[in-house]
Amino acid sequence: MTLEEAFGQVLRRKREAVNLTQEQLAFEAGLHRTYVILLERGLKSPTLDVIFRLSKALDILPSEVIREVEALQSISSDSSPLDEN
């Protein structure tokens, strides 16, 4: 699993946990709905700014998102996240 795919899974779980649609999350974070869709599908890699904006919209700490992405990615991959470019 790539970091992008892991981030997408975490993002979707967090969004669904607070009962937001992709469109609502995008609006709250100041992003386009299709960008949120691409993030959740693991087709785009978020910038640090986007991670912070999404986290604020979800009312969670950015570090919580990163921690869950790291855990999910390390469980499904033998390689270090830093080895992938």
Side-chain angles (χ1 to χ4, degrees):
M1 173 180 296
T2 66
L3 287 172
E4 291 82 6
E5 291 167 337
F7 180 83
Q9 285 187 20
V10 171
L11 180 60
R12 176 170 286 164
R13 276 198 305 247
K14 295 296 187 183
R15 176 181 59 78
E16 290 174 346
V18 294
N19 297 314
L20 288 177
T21 65
Q22 291 169 328
E23 187 170 8
Q24 290 168 326
L25 176 58
F27 178 78
E28 293 296 325
L31 302 169
H32 197 278
R33 179 182 58 87
T34 57
Y35 184 60
V36 171
I37 291 168
L38 293 172
L39 287 171
E40 285 190 0
R41 292 180 62 201
L43 299 175
K44 288 285 184 183
S45 185
T47 63
L48 189 57
D49 178 63
V50 167
I51 293 170
F52 273 73
R53 289 163 66 180
L54 289 167
S55 297
K56 183 176 180 182
L58 293 167
D59 196 29
I60 57 176
L61 293 172
S63 59
E64 181 180 339
V65 174
I66 298 300
R67 187 172 32 256
E68 289 189 32
V69 169
E70 183 179 24
L72 185 60
Q73 201 275 336
S74 67
I75 288 171
S76 65
S77 175
D78 292 335
S79 65
S80 167
L82 299 177
D83 290 342
E84 296 182 20
N85 290 322

